[in-house]
Amino acid sequence: MKTLKYIAILATFFLISSASARNIEIRIMQTSDIHGNFYPYDFITGHGSDGSLARVATAVTEARENGKMPLILLDNGDILQGQPTAYYYNYVDTASRHLAAEMLNFIGYDAATVGNHDMETGTKVLKRYASDCAMPVLGANIIDKRTGNPAFQPYKIINHDGIRIAVLGLITPAIPAWLPETLWEGLRFDDMEETAQKWLPIIKQRHNPHAIIGLFHSGQSGNILAGHKENASVEVAKNVPGFDIVMMGHDHRRENRKIANIARDSVLIINPANNANTIASVIMTFNVNEHGNVTGKTVKGNLLDMSGYKPDSAFVKKFATQKETVKNYVSQTIGTINKTISTREAFFGPSEFVDLIHTLQLAITGADISMAAPLSYDASIPAGTITMADMFSLYKYENLLYVMELKGKEIKGYLEESYGKWTNQMKSPNDNLLLFKQKVQSGDKSRSTLLYPSYNFDSAAGIIYEVDVTKPKGSRVTIKSMADGSAFNPEKTYRVALNSYRGNGGGELLTNGAGIEHSRLKERIVYSTDRDLRHYLAEYISAQKEITPKKLNHWKFVPEKWVVPASERDIRLLFNR
């Protein structure tokens, strides 16, 4: 009997203990690289679009209303560039509260980070956006040179049901490789891994969190630019023990997998890519004992496709006035163009599209030579009226326009690097002209992808040259003369018009190609516009009233008997037509 009584008491004890122990689930949702895609409408093309914050609002509302768990909502930067919605509230209407901040506040975000394209707007715009946000905008490795402290809040602690979750925000430190210092004056960008090593012990000592999330505007891995690791998220996840989740961005690549860090702990790395077409959704489950202590936790990540979600009606109604304001802005007439132009032919030789940019850059600056690339993979401007919306097709980014002094031999090296990224070395007539990363058969639903982005495919105007694609990288370009027939001198210094991304080292055409040290690039800049190049292009077109695009034909691929049929094959692969 005593034995039975003892068993009954023991059973009762375990029942009471197990009844007080519980599991707590918390959902974390992340957007990244929204690039101004606030509405389910593309203000550049005038058509409906996938993704958008309007659809994210629906997914978030459903998660809050239908879920039995608290929700943490995070944005990972690059929200202030891309669609005219962002541009308008960055530079045109600077008196209103920033639309991006208003939308994040309406949806109820808990924290955000700074992206490189947010930094590209300049500190005045960025600080305005951050101050308009109801939640903190994080950036532990964006340092105020004057104080030595972070210029933005480094982390945030979020509490739900007694569970403390820390969110540490970091940005890719490669900003100086892309942006002029005038846009980030007074700041520096520290190494991500070193910054994480500094802040994790501080966070643990001060707050003893139950979980730590890295919110990093940086891709998985790769690229050393101007001495900075551009994409270091996986390195940080592996080399700095303590993170349960690393939420990535910047490289526009979907990812959802677990890796082991150096302490052999599991870390979820997840990336929803760009344009709010997908969002990251992570469920963390915490095992809590009868004393309230966390004894274990699990992490499960998922990527949610937004195409199945309807735009949130409350969101659409709330921001309907701003939508109409931006639609009116992009509908403004700039001038007219008497021929349809497209970036498609720019991959295979001179094109009216890129040569229009060359013509305008030379006219605006009076430079000897212009450098420009097809910034958009597949953009076009139809014949007829040119609107402000078309200007976003003509010029995708908010780059400044520079004039730099380069020697003739540096210009040749610059072009060698460009065409080395652009073209394959053809060893037979059946080879590809373009340098593909992946090829698919013509007619496949997916398209072939290039090894390097097209915004690094700079051609030149103002000089006459050939590109022999049968030769190896570094020896393909032969410059024959200046465009006016005068001699081209490798030792002469020329004034070259190009964008600020390139002038600050972007794409490494000036460093790896021209052989100029990154620290010396600033010395070569003799002129810079105060506003973005798109503004001056619109101004010039407006003054001209009518534009007649034409090919300058200052360069060509050779041998043509190989190049012409290869171009016909490659355009089918590249554009699936």
Side-chain angles (χ1 to χ4, degrees):
M1 291 294 293
K2 286 184 178 181
T3 302
L4 290 173
K5 193 173 185 179
Y6 175 76
I7 291 172
I9 293 170
L10 195 61
T12 303
F13 171 77
F14 280 117
L15 283 170
I16 293 170
S17 297
S18 61
S20 58
R22 59 187 179 133
N23 290 334
I24 297 176
E25 291 185 322
I26 297 175
R27 185 189 300 273
I28 303 105
M29 299 180 85
Q30 175 217 5
T31 53
S32 190
D33 297 85
I34 289 172
H35 288 291
N37 286 280
F38 304 154
Y39 300 93
Y41 178 82
D42 188 325
F43 290 85
I44 300 172
T45 66
H47 300 132
S49 65
D50 297 330
S52 79
L53 275 177
R55 288 191 172 89
V56 171
T58 299
V60 170
T61 299
E62 287 186 7
R64 286 183 176 135
E65 292 178 351
N66 301 333
K68 297 179 181 179
M69 64 189 80
L71 172 65
I72 296 172
L73 185 58
L74 307 171
D75 181 71
N76 204 6
D78 272 10
I79 192 171
L80 300 182
Q81 180 276 333
Q83 279 283 316
T85 44
Y87 185 88
Y88 184 84
Y89 286 94
N90 288 343
Y91 307 113
V92 182
D93 181 357
T94 58
S96 300
R97 290 173 65 87
H98 201 291
L99 180 61
E102 288 283 83
M103 288 179 165
L104 297 187
N105 294 343
F106 181 81
I107 298 172
Y109 276 74
D110 293 287
T113 53
V114 179
N116 56 293
H117 283 291
D118 303 326
M119 191 63 63
E120 188 177 27
T121 65
T123 53
K124 185 177 180 180
V125 173
L126 180 55
K127 286 180 179 178
R128 173 175 149 243
Y129 156 74
S131 66
D132 286 345
C133 285
M135 80 293 181
V137 177
L138 309 177
N141 62 332
I142 306 173
I143 307 300
D144 184 328
K145 289 181 180 179
R146 183 177 53 85
T147 64
N149 297 320
F152 293 84
Q153 185 171 318
Y155 66 90
K156 181 178 180 180
I157 303 296
I158 301 171
N159 289 278
H160 281 299
D161 289 347
I163 301 296
R164 296 179 301 279
I165 296 179
V167 181
L168 177 69
L170 297 174
I171 186 176
T172 173
I175 303 296
W178 304 313
L179 304 180
E181 192 171 350
T182 53
L183 296 177
W184 47 272
E185 193 170 5
L187 302 174
R188 74 167 193 265
F189 304 91
D190 285 355
D191 180 80
M192 289 176 57
E193 187 173 329
E194 291 174 1
T195 303
Q197 293 280 12
K198 171 186 175 180
W199 281 103
L200 254 63
I202 294 172
I203 291 170
K204 290 176 181 178
Q205 183 178 8
R206 289 179 181 174
H207 307 283
N208 190 27
H210 298 106
I212 301 176
I213 299 170
L215 189 62
F216 300 164
H217 189 84
S218 178
Q220 288 198 42
S221 60
N223 286 16
I224 303 295
L225 299 174
H228 300 289
K229 293 178 181 176
E230 177 186 3
N231 297 309
S233 292
V234 172
E235 285 188 39
V236 177
K238 285 182 176 179
N239 298 334
V240 186
F243 290 103
D244 297 279
I245 307 167
V246 165
M247 293 183 147
M248 305 180 292
H250 180 60
D251 62 1
H252 296 191
R253 292 171 55 196
R254 288 179 177 85
E255 185 60 274
N256 177 28
R257 63 188 173 97
K258 291 184 178 180
I259 62 172
N261 65 21
I262 57 174
R264 297 185 180 179
D265 294 322
S266 175
V267 184
L268 174 70
I269 60 171
I270 194 163
N271 187 339
N274 56 310
N275 293 334
N277 290 321
T278 308
I279 62 175
S281 179
V282 179
I283 295 177
M284 293 197 74
T285 303
F286 298 87
N287 310 123
V288 181
N289 65 16
E290 68 276 12
H291 303 295
N293 298 320
V294 173
T295 58
K297 55 190 170 184
T298 58
V299 180
K300 184 179 180 181
N302 188 28
L303 295 175
L304 300 181
D305 185 347
M306 291 294 98
S307 63
Y309 290 84
K310 293 182 179 179
D312 181 78
S313 57
F315 180 98
V316 171
K317 182 178 179 181
K318 170 75 174 177
F319 300 108
T321 300
Q322 292 94 326
K323 180 181 179 181
E324 289 306 308
T325 298
V326 178
K327 285 181 74 172
N328 291 335
Y329 169 70
V330 298
S331 298
Q332 294 177 68
T333 297
I334 304 299
T336 60
I337 187 169
N338 56 22
K339 184 178 182 181
T340 298
I341 58 175
S342 167
T343 55
R344 288 192 175 193
E345 63 178 347
F347 292 89
F348 307 102
S351 69
E352 284 98 346
F353 195 105
V354 172
D355 283 355
L356 174 58
I357 296 173
H358 281 311
T359 300
L360 298 182
Q361 288 188 165
L362 291 170
I364 291 167
T365 63
D368 304 306
I369 297 166
S370 168
M371 299 288 191
L375 300 186
S376 298
Y377 153 73
D378 189 9
S380 63
I381 299 176
T385 300
I386 301 177
T387 65
M388 183 57 74
D390 293 318
M391 299 308 299
F392 287 82
S393 292
L394 181 64
Y395 211 86
K396 185 176 181 179
Y397 301 107
E398 277 79 77
N399 303 141
L400 304 179
L401 177 60
Y402 281 178
V403 175
M404 299 183 74
E405 290 186 338
L406 302 177
K407 286 188 175 181
K409 60 186 178 183
E410 292 172 333
I411 291 167
K412 182 182 185 300
Y414 177 119
L415 290 172
E416 291 285 7
E417 184 70 16
S418 173
Y419 287 101
K421 286 177 160 59
W422 181 344
T423 60
N424 178 45
Q425 183 183 3
M426 294 185 70
K427 296 181 180 179
S428 82
N430 298 319
D431 287 341
N432 294 103
L433 169 66
L434 302 181
L435 189 58
F436 286 107
K437 173 171 61 178
Q438 174 187 348
K439 289 189 295 181
V440 296
Q441 295 300 314
S442 180
D444 193 300
K445 289 184 179 180
S446 60
R447 63 176 178 83
S448 298
T449 53
L450 297 165
L451 185 59
Y452 295 97
S454 66
Y455 56 72
N456 286 326
F457 297 174
D458 274 22
S459 62
I463 53 176
I464 305 299
Y465 65 100
E466 292 181 349
V467 182
D468 189 338
V469 293
T470 66
K471 294 183 178 179
K473 178 182 176 181
S475 59
R476 294 175 184 168
V477 177
T478 301
I479 302 175
K480 297 189 170 184
S481 70
M482 300 298 292
D484 63 5
S486 61
F488 177 82
N489 187 344
E491 298 302 322
K492 182 178 177 179
T493 298
Y494 296 93
R495 289 166 54 86
V496 181
L498 39 68
N499 67 41
S500 55
Y501 170 80
R502 189 73 69 234
N504 287 287
E508 301 178 308
L509 305 190
L510 282 166
T511 50
N512 292 351
I516 304 170
E517 291 182 18
H518 187 271
S519 60
R520 310 303 294 267
L521 290 175
K522 189 162 58 174
E523 300 170 11
R524 303 295 193 95
I525 303 167
V526 296
Y527 169 79
S528 172
T529 57
D530 294 324
R531 294 191 59 174
D532 60 282
L533 180 52
R534 185 190 301 120
H535 168 80
Y536 293 98
L537 293 173
E539 212 173 51
Y540 182 84
I541 292 171
S542 180
Q544 295 295 309
K545 293 185 172 58
E546 183 177 351
I547 296 294
T548 302
K550 62 179 181 180
K551 292 183 184 180
L552 298 176
N553 291 319
H554 286 181
W555 67 278
K556 64 180 179 180
F557 286 127
V558 295
E560 293 182 65
K561 63 181 180 180
W562 284 18
V563 168
V564 171
S567 297
E568 292 173 354
R569 293 192 302 270
D570 284 4
I571 196 169
R572 290 193 294 271
L573 288 173
L574 190 59
F575 298 106
N576 191 28
R577 71 175 198 183

